[in-house]
Amino acid sequence: RRAVERLNTRALAGRIADAAATHVICTHFLPAELCLRLRQRGLVEARLATVVTDFDIHAMWVQAGLDGYCVAADEVAWRLRDRLG
């Protein structure tokens, strides 16, 4: 999955890095993963947040290194806090 993702997101990764944004808000876990990798490589310095658009939290939404999350319901926030430890 990662190899296909890298191949298909090169142009997007370049545009994100070139934008030099101070904050990036992702509404899906895949761009959040991409931005985290870019930040780990020193190509992005932005603070990163994910908006959880589901009413349940699954492992793909939870990513170490994100600066924040936005959720639509208290129950989702509780479950997210539980998964984050």
Side-chain angles (χ1 to χ4, degrees):
R1 179 180 82 100
R2 295 224 189 246
V4 170
E5 182 183 314
R6 275 189 216 107
L7 180 66
N8 290 323
T9 60
R10 280 189 195 149
L12 176 61
R15 293 188 83 175
I16 291 169
D18 290 345
T22 59
H23 294 76
V24 176
I25 300 171
C26 302
T27 58
H28 194 271
F29 54 84
L30 289 176
E33 283 181 2
L34 174 64
C35 288
L36 278 170
R37 282 198 307 277
L38 292 173
R39 188 163 70 178
Q40 290 167 347
R41 292 175 27 208
L43 300 173
V44 168
E45 295 181 19
R47 295 183 52 84
L48 304 173
T50 293
V51 177
V52 178
T53 57
D54 294 343
F55 281 96
D56 194 11
I57 197 79
H58 53 79
M60 295 185 96
W61 285 111
V62 181
Q63 299 177 42
L66 284 176
D67 298 304
Y69 293 87
C70 299
V71 297
D74 288 339
E75 185 174 340
V76 179
W78 297 328
R79 290 180 186 194
L80 178 61
R81 279 189 206 104
D82 187 50
R83 285 202 182 238
L84 289 171

